[in-house]
Every structure is written in structure tokens, then in C-alpha cells.
Amino acid sequence: MARKDMLLRCTSSDSGNSYYRWNVFSYVVAGTFATIAGIWSPEYPFLALTADPYFAVLGFLAGLNICIGTGALIVLYMMFGIETTRGEISTLAAFIGFGFGAGVICMTLPMVLELPIQWIN
């Protein structure tokens, strides 16, 4: 497989991202409407990354997905070499995306690790 085809295949795969986007979007929209209508009133702050367990898990999975995708892109560019300005910009954007995903993981990891303990007690 040619280098360009492999890089395009890696960057155009969007099935995992769309799954997490749909889950987060539906949770935010349905939860907002249910909270405003008074149908649902959770005992935790709604959409707080450090307190809302569902939003924390969805955020953690999205951050993990971002890190895996951008990490694969960085590894591919490093394996095949960065030859053009477009490659340099893509690598820079991948590092920025990796940092964003890692930041989301760092924010949500304590809540995600506490969830099994809360469910047992």
C-alpha cells in the first residue's frame, strides 16, 4: 500500500468518532430538555465533568478515542517521515489533538475510577 493511501485511510476513518459524538450529543440534548421540563432532576450537577458520572464516562471515552486516533496519525507520520509543509501542519495538529484528548482524560479519570466503588457501595 502506498504511503499516501495509508495516511488517507488513517485520517478518513470516522466511525468511532461519530459514535461518541452521537452519544454525547443525545445525552446533552435529552438531559437538557428533561431538566428544563422538570421530568428529570439528578442529584449531581448536570454536565459537570467532575460530578456527572454519565458525562464523565462519555468524555473519557471521547478523549481516549481522540488520543488513539491522533497517536496513530503521529506514529504513521513519524514512520514515513514528514516531507512537506502539509505533513508538518498535520503533525502539529495531531499533537494538539493528542494534548486535548489527554487533557479530557486527565479531567475525567478520577470520576471514572470512582464509579465502580460508588456502584458497589
Side-chain angles (χ1 to χ4, degrees):
M1 181 181 298
R3 173 181 181 255
K4 187 175 183 178
D5 293 337
M6 187 178 293
L7 289 174
L8 287 175
R9 178 180 278 173
C10 177
T11 57
S12 65
S13 174
D14 196 34
S15 60
N17 285 337
S18 62
Y19 175 75
Y20 292 118
R21 266 188 298 228
W22 175 251
N23 282 340
V24 171
F25 178 74
S26 60
Y27 178 70
V28 169
V29 170
T32 301
F33 284 137
T35 304
I36 289 173
I39 300 169
W40 180 53
S41 58
E43 59 268 0
Y44 48 83
F46 181 62
L47 295 182
L49 273 176
T50 57
D52 187 346
Y54 303 108
F55 195 58
V57 168
L58 290 172
F60 176 79
L61 292 174
L64 188 65
N65 193 10
I66 289 170
C67 283
I68 289 171
T70 55
L73 186 62
I74 291 168
V75 168
L76 278 174
Y77 268 115
M78 295 303 168
M79 278 181 16
F80 291 113
I82 304 169
E83 299 169 355
T84 62
T85 305
R86 180 179 179 209
E88 292 174 358
I89 293 171
S90 296
T91 307
L92 177 64
F95 274 111
I96 292 170
F98 191 85
F100 175 75
V104 171
I105 288 173
C106 285
M107 288 177 61
T108 58
L109 188 62
M111 181 66 185
V112 171
L113 291 177
E114 285 179 13
L115 282 177
I117 297 169
Q118 290 176 359
W119 289 337
I120 291 172
N121 293 333

